[in-house]
Amino acid sequence: MSAIHPLKKLLHYASAYKTDLRLATLYSILNKFFDVLPEVLIGVAVDIVVNGEKSFLAKRVLGGFGITETWHQLVFLGVVNAFIWMGESWFEYLLSLKWRKLAQNLQHDLRLDTYDHVQKLEMAYFENQRTGNLMSVLNEDINQMERFLNGGANQIIQVICSSVMVSAVFFVLQPSLAIISLLPVPAILFGAFWFQKRLAPRYAEVREAAGDVSARLNNNLLGLATIKAFATEDFEKKHIAEASNTYREANARAIAVSAAITPVIRMAILAGFTATLVYGGWLTLHDELAVGAYSVLVYLTQRLLWPMTSLAEVADMYQRSMSAIDRAMNLLDTKINIAYEGQHLPATDVKGHIRFDSVGFAYGEQQTLHNISLDIPAGKTIAFVGSTGSGKSTLVKLLLRFYTPQSGKIFIDDVATDSVNLQDLRRQIGYVAQDSFLTDGTIAENIAYGSNNVSETAIAAAAQAAEATEFISKLPLGFATRIGERGQKLSGGQRQRLALARAILKNPPVLILDEATSAVDNETEAAIQRSLDVVSRDRTTIVIAHRLSTVRQADCIYLLEAGRIVESGTHDDLLKLNAGYAALWRLQTGERAQGQTQSAT
């Protein structure tokens, strides 16, 4: 089964703009019609000057009833010429307006639809994608489509129309000359398409290479602090140079083909123009072709053939655009493997009872969770602890349906989460990650992120509950202070307090803290802990932590090892068990070292 052509995909996508597309095409055709007519008028003018009262205009146009005087014929011709130029200018304005508006609308729609589609893809999709490559599709590829619609589409239509219109005039005036003069046209068109087919894979390489450059730049800009800290600027510059050189070489391979189009077309044009000039002149000298008609054909040959030199540029733009459109459409066509629709879950009805029933999950071939079953009563605080890679964070990602378990079920208030409306489910969960996402907005906007129509009082109360008010009050504009991209103007502890304030303002029945205090200082950790003691009351709270001191007050603590629950109970119960959890506790608090020192003494 052959792949669908990118242009066909684009036309299908643009079905809502069929009327605009048809009008833009009509304006392009009419503009070209008026654009061709001045060459005809030149021939008529030459005929008037040479033949006077016996001219083409006097004999054929007015049927012998009108303008026979040469001067009056020229005046009439001048009026017609003015009308033609006004018509050409008017339709030039209309086609430019319509094509550009269409390009802007399609660019806007495609970017929004593609971005919205990307947001709905499951997290597993992004494990095999680079952010910079997606950025290249959403930005540069869609811009390339806009550039094509802004000018390239009109050029293609007008080249076709010019060929048809000029060919018609040729056959009316002198069929034998038309056949000879127009012979190069099929060769030109065939050559353009021949080159285009060879350009297609080359420009696909160019778009991929451009995505690689964007991915590398995006990655390095996000990690600039680390690059500076490790003094690896030259090392990373080499990586950028390699990606950029790959892009340059891919472009060079495409240019080697596209640059050959114009010379080939020029040779074909030369043949057609020479045929008209020489053979048409011979026919005129032997009175088989009128002088005026000869003038028309010479000018029209130029009008038809010389614009075809732009086919090189058009073919180049067209193929670049098709490669870009294909990437954007393929992204838009990527299957969403997670169901968004389902049973609605009103916030007022959710109590927060969560149950994992024989849940298993693997990242590819690597099994991460093995047959996990646990019950979290509504309003209780539970904690997951264990070494890195034991499956702690995966559990909450499955609860949020970032991923789908390969076996087992997860329930909230005895309703399977995979049967619940996804947005409703996530609205019932407050999530604070180790590296929380903050926008390039104000303090107030970041606290209110995800909550609609909240008052300044509510924002301030959430900040107070997260113990963030003190540092906010010291900022130049308080809650109106902009915090920079990803909150880079704030410290790690300040960012975490804002993330916690955001979750508090959301007031969800379920709160998840995924290593929320692992990267903060002791003072910030204590402040966050005090906040949690308040906000976790009568709320189901799930805490993932490496620091066991932050979870010692939990109603139940689960110790995970290699994707299995190996211990569970309260802090005191697990210490009495004197197994894995107790060993971790002694390691973190130094009790083992203290005991060994006393024994040695």
Side-chain angles (χ1 to χ4, degrees):
M1 182 177 176
S2 60
I4 300 175
H5 194 277
L7 184 59
K8 190 172 182 180
K9 291 182 183 179
L10 181 63
L11 291 174
H12 176 73
Y13 176 80
S15 57
Y17 294 98
K18 278 183 180 178
T19 301
D20 289 330
L21 190 57
R22 287 167 181 165
L23 281 174
T25 303
L26 176 63
Y27 295 152
S28 293
I29 293 171
L30 290 173
N31 170 257
K32 179 49 63 176
F33 172 73
F34 281 100
D35 184 49
V36 168
L37 287 180
E39 273 65 31
V40 177
L41 292 186
I42 291 173
V44 175
V46 170
D47 187 52
I48 290 171
V49 172
V50 173
N51 295 317
E53 294 180 359
K54 298 179 180 180
S55 69
F56 171 82
L57 185 64
K59 286 183 179 180
R60 301 187 183 182
V61 174
L62 299 179
F65 286 102
I67 308 169
T68 55
E69 240 184 83
T70 303
W71 171 246
H72 291 166
Q73 291 180 43
L74 290 173
V75 170
F76 176 77
L77 199 62
V79 172
V80 173
N81 181 62
F83 172 77
I84 289 172
W85 278 91
M86 285 189 291
E88 181 189 359
S89 300
W90 174 241
F91 286 112
E92 177 75 25
Y93 166 74
L94 289 179
L95 76 86
S96 179
L97 193 68
K98 187 60 72 175
W99 278 116
R100 290 184 181 183
K101 185 177 179 181
L102 181 62
Q104 292 299 317
N105 287 338
L106 273 178
Q107 172 202 221
H108 175 75
D109 289 353
L110 184 57
R111 180 171 287 119
L112 286 185
D113 288 345
T114 308
Y115 174 72
D116 184 58
H117 188 81
V118 167
Q119 287 191 124
K120 293 178 180 178
L121 294 171
E122 66 282 1
M123 294 300 292
Y125 172 81
F126 298 96
E127 293 172 1
N128 300 315
Q129 297 292 328
R130 288 179 293 180
T131 304
N133 196 47
L134 292 174
M135 285 286 294
S136 177
V137 175
L138 291 169
N139 189 33
E140 180 57 30
D141 286 348
I142 292 177
N143 287 344
Q144 183 67 44
M145 179 210 69
E146 178 208 1
R147 288 192 285 272
F148 170 68
L149 289 177
N150 268 339
N154 173 63
Q155 284 181 280
I156 291 173
I157 291 170
Q158 292 205 334
V159 165
I160 294 171
C161 290
S162 178
S163 301
V164 173
M165 292 175 187
V166 173
S167 299
V169 174
F170 261 76
F171 277 102
V172 167
L173 294 178
Q174 182 51 256
S176 61
L177 179 59
I179 293 172
I180 296 174
S181 301
L182 297 177
L183 275 177
V185 173
I188 292 170
L189 296 177
F190 174 80
F193 284 112
W194 186 88
F195 278 111
Q196 176 209 316
K197 286 183 179 179
R198 278 144 188 81
L199 278 172
R202 287 172 169 80
Y203 278 130
E205 289 180 12
V206 170
R207 298 315 313 153
E208 289 298 323
D212 290 342
V213 173
S214 181
R216 174 62 67 178
L217 288 171
N218 181 73
N219 183 71
N220 284 14
L221 290 174
L222 289 175
L224 202 55
T226 302
I227 292 171
K228 288 178 177 291
F230 283 84
T232 54
E233 289 91 342
D234 290 340
F235 177 75
E236 291 300 339
K237 182 181 177 181
K238 288 179 182 177
H239 278 168
I240 297 297
E242 288 172 3
S244 183
N245 192 56
T246 300
Y247 174 64
R248 180 177 63 177
E249 290 175 353
N251 252 319
R253 287 190 290 273
I255 291 169
V257 175
S258 65
I261 301 177
T262 300
V264 171
I265 290 175
R266 281 180 177 273
M267 292 302 100
I269 289 170
L270 173 64
F273 184 72
T274 302
T276 304
L277 194 67
V278 176
Y279 183 56
W282 185 85
L283 291 174
T284 304
L285 289 173
H286 290 77
D287 294 326
E288 294 183 30
L289 183 66
V291 174
Y294 175 60
S295 302
V296 171
L297 294 179
V298 170
Y299 282 114
L300 282 180
T301 303
Q302 280 196 314
R303 173 62 71 178
L304 169 64
L305 297 179
W306 283 112
M308 286 191 173
T309 58
S310 67
L311 276 177
E313 179 185 344
V314 173
D316 189 76
M317 180 190 294
Y318 173 80
Q319 203 52 62
R320 283 180 183 268
S321 301
M322 291 305 103
S323 296
I325 290 168
D326 198 39
R327 282 179 18 117
M329 290 299 172
N330 286 342
L331 180 56
L332 190 61
D333 291 339
T334 302
K335 185 179 178 182
I336 298 174
N337 293 319
I338 186 168
Y340 268 70
E341 298 303 319
Q343 177 182 338
H344 282 288
L345 198 65
T348 53
D349 296 344
V350 177
K351 295 180 177 60
H353 175 209
I354 297 169
R355 181 163 55 90
F356 287 74
D357 185 8
S358 302
V359 171
F361 180 76
Y363 292 102
E365 299 297 323
Q366 182 181 356
Q367 192 70 27
T368 307
L369 296 175
H370 302 268
N371 200 36
I372 297 291
S373 293
L374 58 92
D375 192 283
I376 304 172
K380 297 297 183 180
T381 297
I382 68 102
F384 295 123
V385 299
S387 59
T388 300
S390 59
K392 305 183 301 296
S393 294
T394 301
L395 280 171
V396 298
K397 289 175 181 177
L398 292 176
L399 176 58
L400 284 160
R401 286 182 63 194
F402 289 167
Y403 299 93
T404 302
Q406 277 90 27
S407 62
K409 291 278 187 179
I410 303 172
F411 299 86
I412 182 166
D413 292 349
D414 295 323
V415 179
T417 56
D418 59 2
S419 67
V420 172
N421 180 280
L422 187 57
Q423 297 293 67
D424 283 354
L425 172 67
R426 291 174 178 170
R427 289 190 183 103
Q428 313 316 316
I429 301 173
Y431 181 58
V432 182
Q434 179 179 351
D435 183 21
S436 294
F437 169 75
L438 296 177
T439 68
D440 183 15
T442 65
I443 293 282
E445 288 169 347
N446 273 279
I447 294 176
Y449 186 79
S451 300
N452 299 320
N453 303 319
V454 293
S455 65
E456 293 181 3
T457 303
I459 292 172
Q464 182 68 42
E467 297 201 15
T469 305
E470 182 180 352
F471 87 80
I472 292 173
S473 64
K474 295 177 182 178
L475 295 174
L477 300 175
F479 282 91
T481 303
R482 299 188 72 87
I483 62 174
E485 187 179 13
R486 300 183 67 84
Q488 61 185 356
K489 295 181 180 179
L490 303 178
S491 68
Q494 289 170 339
R495 290 196 293 269
Q496 283 303 82
R497 293 192 203 191
L498 288 190
L500 181 58
R502 175 195 294 168
I504 292 170
L505 181 63
K506 188 178 181 181
N507 193 30
V510 178
L511 178 63
I512 296 175
L513 299 164
D514 188 357
E515 302 282 8
T517 63
S518 63
V520 300
D521 55 61
N522 292 333
E523 181 184 349
T524 302
E525 180 185 356
I528 293 176
Q529 193 61 51
R530 288 193 297 270
S531 301
L532 288 177
D533 291 341
V534 176
V535 301
S536 62
R537 293 173 190 164
D538 302 320
R539 189 194 313 273
T540 304
T541 305
I542 300 173
V543 183
I544 296 173
H546 275 106
R547 295 183 186 178
L548 302 186
S549 58
T550 62
V551 300
R552 60 185 301 177
Q553 303 301 325
D555 296 302
C556 186
I557 301 170
Y558 294 91
L559 175 64
L560 277 77
E561 288 183 5
R564 293 181 172 87
I565 296 175
V566 294
E567 296 177 28
S568 63
T570 64
H571 173 74
D572 292 336
D573 291 340
L574 292 175
L575 287 183
K576 290 177 183 177
L577 187 62
N578 196 27
Y581 179 86
L584 283 174
W585 176 260
R586 288 193 297 269
L587 184 64
Q588 290 188 13
T589 59
E591 288 183 8
R592 175 184 295 177
Q594 182 181 1
Q596 289 173 345
T597 302
Q598 289 174 348
S599 298
T601 303

